[in-house]
Amino acid sequence: MAKADEVQVVAPPPSRRDRFAEMTGMKEPCTITVRNPIRTRTKGYGTQKRLKSAREIAISQAGKKTKECGFCKVAGHNIRTCKLYIASLKEKESPASSGVDNIQV
């Protein structure tokens, strides 16, 4: 005990803030950090769609109207890829170009 009394503990001096808190009797305010809440996804986000059977797909496709060509009215292609329409355009262009060659000056 005698040795323990002789040894002095060297503690850092109290800070100015601590001294004022002791004099006034007020404690330091707690430092609470408030952060933004974590975002959650909505209820229906990312859920997988239901797999349809071949029969159900066939039933849903049966009610749909198929698109057809605006020129020849056949299903399976459109006017831009229609062979009859392209051929008719070429026929219209060929007589006009041959008439230009026959003009005499």
Side-chain angles (χ1 to χ4, degrees):
M1 288 292 267
K3 282 188 177 182
D5 290 335
E6 291 175 9
V7 177
Q8 294 181 355
V9 177
V10 179
S15 68
R16 189 173 187 191
R17 183 173 283 177
D18 292 336
R19 283 187 279 145
F20 280 118
E22 286 178 20
M23 283 190 266
T24 59
M26 299 183 74
K27 294 183 179 179
E28 290 184 36
C30 297
T31 57
I32 298 174
T33 305
V34 178
R35 297 183 182 164
N36 291 332
I38 298 171
R39 290 184 155 216
T40 58
R41 293 183 174 168
T42 57
K43 192 172 183 180
Y45 180 81
T47 58
Q48 292 183 351
K49 291 186 177 182
R50 181 176 65 88
L51 296 176
K52 294 183 178 181
S53 66
R55 181 178 176 201
E56 192 174 358
I57 292 171
I59 291 169
S60 65
Q61 292 293 325
K64 290 186 178 181
K65 182 180 177 183
T66 57
K67 294 186 178 183
E68 57 187 28
C69 176
F71 186 74
C72 66
K73 307 294 184 206
V74 176
H77 63 276
N78 57 26
I79 195 168
R80 289 182 290 166
T81 58
C82 182
K83 293 179 182 177
L84 295 174
Y85 181 70
I86 294 170
S88 69
L89 287 178
K90 287 183 181 179
E91 287 176 10
K92 288 180 184 177
E93 290 176 3
S94 61
S97 63
S98 61
V100 173
D101 292 339
N102 295 335
I103 296 177
Q104 296 177 356
V105 180

